[in-house]
Amino acid sequence: MFSERNIRDVYSFPQDMLGTHKKTYLLHMPDDGLQEAGIAEGDVLFITPQEFANDFDLVVAETEGRTLVRYFRQDEDGTYLQSTAETDDSTEPCKNAVTIVARVISVYHRI
């Protein structure tokens, strides 16, 4: 995902604006799976690469051959990728392995 061939443009932002000194990338929200959370398809996500997540972190994850942006949650029943940052008893755990690719640190909403 973070290979040179996937980089389209390079932008500079003041590090204090992003609140991190880590390498940061921009990703366009690929689908409408987070509309309940107020994040629409095409919104710009500021992401930092990392391979772990805490419960209810907004993450970029790979599972079942797809890349998703969802809220992460894990318990004794499994790993969940959810469309809201709330515990939802109707959400089924992911059946296949989940790989955390990045954490979303900010969202720019397109007008």
Side-chain angles (χ1 to χ4, degrees):
M1 175 177 217
F2 298 106
S3 70
E4 292 284 327
R5 64 183 163 78
N6 290 330
I7 296 175
R8 293 187 186 153
D9 294 306
V10 176
Y11 301 95
S12 293
F13 292 93
Q15 288 180 332
D16 60 337
M17 180 182 136
L18 298 175
T20 184
H21 295 285
K22 295 179 182 178
K23 192 169 276 199
T24 303
Y25 296 88
L26 302 178
L27 173 72
H28 289 273
M29 180 63 189
D31 59 35
D32 61 358
L34 290 172
Q35 280 188 332
E36 287 182 49
I39 300 172
E41 184 174 357
D43 282 351
V44 178
L45 310 175
F46 291 80
I47 61 173
T48 57
Q50 72 180 44
E51 297 175 350
F52 64 91
N54 297 312
D55 282 350
F56 304 109
D57 278 351
L58 186 55
V59 299
V60 179
E62 293 177 345
T63 185
E64 301 173 13
R66 301 181 328 165
T67 301
L68 301 171
V69 179
R70 298 290 187 272
Y71 288 96
F72 174 86
R73 182 170 64 90
Q74 197 167 33
D75 64 18
E76 64 277 351
D77 295 326
T79 300
Y80 301 82
L81 295 173
Q82 312 178 161
S83 60
T84 64
E86 301 171 5
T87 301
D88 181 358
D89 293 332
S90 68
T91 303
E92 293 288 321
C94 296
K95 298 188 185 335
N96 294 325
V98 173
T99 302
I100 303 300
V101 177
R103 185 172 65 90
V104 177
I105 61 168
S106 186
V107 179
Y108 174 78
H109 298 284
R110 292 175 47 144
I111 298 176

